Amino acid sequence: MSITALLPILMAVSPITEAPPLPADLRQVEEAQWTRAPRANDITSRKAEKIMRANGCTPMTPTDTWEGVKIVVLMLVDGNGRVRRLTPVANGCEAVEEYGAKQLAKHLGKFNSHPAGSGLSWYRAKIIYSW
């Protein structure tokens, strides 16, 4: 089964009872470590732009020379480094949030963060699409 097929399971809304609480300030969640960090390319960035425009969303980071959007996800990771939950952080465009989460899910084989001990920990990951 591919990781993309598992995404609906990873994004399930049923609570994991032993999950640690998230801090109120998500910047305090540790940044995920990767053997090779996920990066958007021209094709995925154009698809993100099309998704945003089709859903009436506006870019989150417009400048004079480019537009783009940053997708942030929270990952609940067990002591073996397995991602138990992958949840996009709301950015105002649910369709592109889901697209970004699926793109990040494709890279979980390169995820390299392991919580200390055998408990669960939250990590933060991002992917930036620009056009």
Side-chain angles (χ1 to χ4, degrees), residues 12-121:
V13 294
S14 59
I16 296 175
T17 56
E18 65 272 10
L22 283 168
D25 183 354
L26 295 181
R27 292 174 294 185
Q28 294 176 352
V29 176
E30 185 176 343
E31 186 75 27
Q33 300 299 309
W34 306 84
T35 56
R36 184 168 174 237
R39 301 222 187 282
N41 59 32
D42 288 341
I43 294 169
T44 58
S45 288
R46 280 194 300 270
K47 177 142 184 173
E49 177 187 18
K50 287 179 184 177
I51 291 169
M52 289 192 67
R53 294 199 193 291
N55 286 278
C57 304
T58 56
M60 303 298 140
T61 55
T63 69
D64 290 340
T65 57
W66 64 278
E67 294 180 319
V69 63
K70 176 170 72 169
I71 306 300
V72 178
V73 298
L74 298 175
M75 301 184 300
L76 184 61
V77 181
D78 68 18
N80 295 319
R82 289 187 308 250
V83 177
R84 300 269 310 271
R85 167 84 43 91
L86 187 128
T87 305
V89 174
N91 70 3
C93 189
E94 188 175 336
V96 83
E97 292 164 18
E98 184 176 321
Y99 175 70
K102 286 179 182 177
Q103 292 297 305
L104 283 167
K106 290 179 181 180
H107 294 274
L108 290 181
K110 298 175 181 92
F111 178 67
N112 200 29
S113 292
H114 296 276
S118 60
L120 295 168
S121 291

